[in-house]
Amino acid sequence: MVSLLLLSHSAKVVEGTRDVALQMAGDAEIAIVGGTKDGSLGADFDETLATLRKLVQKGDVIVLSDLGSARMTGQMAAEALDVELQKRVHLCDAALVEGGLVAAIAIAAGQDTEAILEQLQEYVLNKD
Amino acid sequence: MSIKTSEVVTFILEIARVIEENKQMLSDLDAAIGDGDHGHNMARGFEAVAKKLAETPPATVGEAFKTSGMTLVSNVGGASGPLYGTLFLRAGVSAQNINVLDLTGFISSLRAGITGVQARGKAEIGEKTMLDVLIPVLASLEKDSEAGVSCRDAFKNAAALAQKRAEKTKDIVATKGRAAYLGERSIGHIDPGAMSSCLMIQTISKLLV
């Protein structure tokens, strides 16, 4: 089973994005991490890694993020996993909201990772 | 220069103190071209580093760097977490089993750290980032080391250069990070990451006197 992980500086951004996606894809598994431990804006590495660890146990994970630190934190969390599990993590630079919706619909439709990533290509931004 | 692991810890603790002392200045720089939290994020991260190093004293220089890097990644929250975290983590890998750090060892660690930061942030020199300080500092230390300049003088030169290069980021248009969204409007402001890197080099230099 493919799951989706949404990362942002802001808890509200990922909560809202998940709401939008679930409206059309209620069956998709969507995990979110947004904001820091103390509830302010920022990325939370420990929470990101813990969430990712849980999701990869079940299969492939597609990770979408918004800006700088959320994205870099996602990369570092993926690199912190065992090499075998890293292969299940697919970091994608698609726009968070549009990409989140597209991925969720594809996941709910039971599509495989490759097909989902291909659809996301259209929404990829230059985030470097 | 031969710095034992316990002294490396002292250096990192002093960096933590200097960052805390300058957090408002760093956040003010960040407020002009970013999200205004650089100093406070760094101070929170280094406060956690100081606590961690006190709780579990590292056995090697590599461990001191790695513990610092991991703690920054977990506690900073902003982009400086993954970036400074990577700098220290890679430096730690380079200094893996080293108990005494000399200038050559420091240069190797800094080089490894910079390579890591470049890979993480996809940045080069001249993009208004911490690398605009760290890359010239590395080159200066390498040059002085080859010329047989004393460690103290090498860091003195590096600290002066760091200040100059940090101030020079004023003239650069940001193309990386949050400041990139401002484009030309980022001109006229010092990059906060360049300034925090400058403070670290200056702190090391002062302690070597």
Side-chain angles (χ1 to χ4, degrees):
Chain A
M1 196 186 93
V2 183
S3 56
L4 180 62
L5 174 59
L6 305 176
L7 306 175
S8 171
H9 279 67
S10 157
K12 287 181 190 167
V13 166
V14 276
E15 280 163 14
T17 304
R18 181 169 65 179
D19 288 345
V20 169
L22 287 177
Q23 213 177 20
M24 287 190 70
D27 294 336
E29 165 133 21
I30 306 175
I32 55 173
V33 181
T36 60
K37 289 178 183 70
D38 61 3
S40 52
L41 295 172
D44 183 341
F45 174 80
D46 296 337
E47 177 74 19
T48 303
L49 179 56
T51 307
L52 198 52
R53 268 195 210 291
K54 233 184 290 166
L55 295 175
V56 286
Q57 298 307 325
K58 297 184 251 178
D60 281 358
V61 186
I62 292 171
V63 183
L64 301 178
S65 53
D66 54 2
L67 304 168
S69 81
R71 177 169 171 267
M72 284 190 279
T73 298
Q75 292 168 354
M76 291 196 85
E79 289 163 22
L81 296 173
D82 294 338
V83 178
E84 274 310 303
L85 290 176
Q86 281 184 31
K87 292 178 190 158
R88 296 186 184 173
V89 180
H90 303 272
L91 303 162
C92 175
D93 280 346
L96 185 66
V97 178
E98 290 85 346
L101 179 60
V102 166
I105 291 170
I107 287 170
Q111 295 193 308
D112 64 18
T113 309
E114 209 178 319
I116 300 167
L117 289 173
E118 204 184 303
Q119 289 172 68
L120 286 173
Q121 276 312 303
E122 202 177 320
Y123 301 90
V124 167
L125 300 172
N126 176 13
K127 298 195 184 190
D128 273 334
Chain B
M1 159 176 165
S2 53
I3 303 171
K4 287 185 293 219
T5 301
S6 61
E7 292 168 306
V8 169
V9 170
T10 308
F11 277 56
I12 297 172
L13 294 181
E14 180 60 10
I15 286 173
R17 196 192 62 76
V18 170
I19 293 289
E20 169 65 30
E21 200 175 87
N22 288 280
K23 68 178 177 188
Q24 192 58 51
M25 180 268 284
L26 292 171
S27 284
D28 287 345
L29 289 177
D30 195 25
I33 55 170
D35 46 6
D37 58 8
H38 182 60
H40 290 77
N41 281 345
M42 289 288 279
R44 184 173 59 221
F46 271 98
E47 190 191 343
V49 167
K51 200 168 147 232
K52 191 88 184 173
L53 291 174
E55 275 168 15
T56 35
T60 64
V61 174
E63 215 183 291
F65 286 156
K66 275 199 249 177
T67 301
S68 302
M70 222 37 244
T71 309
L72 289 174
V73 170
S74 287
N75 289 281
V76 169
S80 44
L83 292 170
Y84 275 110
T86 298
L87 181 75
F88 277 87
L89 281 170
R90 295 293 173 87
V93 173
S94 167
Q96 191 92 45
N97 298 311
I98 291 176
N99 290 307
V100 179
L101 191 66
D102 58 11
L103 183 54
T104 317
F106 182 88
I107 287 172
S108 303
S109 282
L110 181 58
R111 191 186 300 122
I114 288 173
T115 306
V117 171
Q118 286 187 293
R120 177 72 57 215
K122 301 281 184 296
E124 294 297 328
I125 195 163
E127 295 196 279
K128 206 180 183 87
T129 71
M130 60 199 277
L131 292 170
D132 290 321
V133 164
L134 295 178
I135 291 175
V137 159
L138 174 63
S140 169
L141 289 174
E142 282 172 336
K143 193 181 86 204
D144 283 350
S145 170
E146 274 163 34
V149 172
S150 78
C151 178
R152 212 176 63 179
D153 287 342
F155 269 95
K156 221 168 129 183
N157 294 338
L161 182 64
Q163 180 72 39
K164 227 165 66 187
R165 289 310 178 103
E167 281 167 17
K168 200 95 174 92
T169 59
K170 258 188 185 177
D171 307 336
I172 303 173
V173 179
T175 46
K176 285 286 176 290
R178 210 62 86 82
Y181 294 109
L182 292 174
E184 298 272 329
R185 277 168 292 156
S186 64
I187 292 178
H189 303 282
I190 292 174
D191 177 64
M195 188 48 85
S196 54
S197 286
C198 171
L199 289 174
M200 290 183 199
I201 301 298
Q202 287 176 335
T203 303
I204 297 171
S205 173
K206 274 183 197 151
L207 286 175
L208 286 173
V209 171

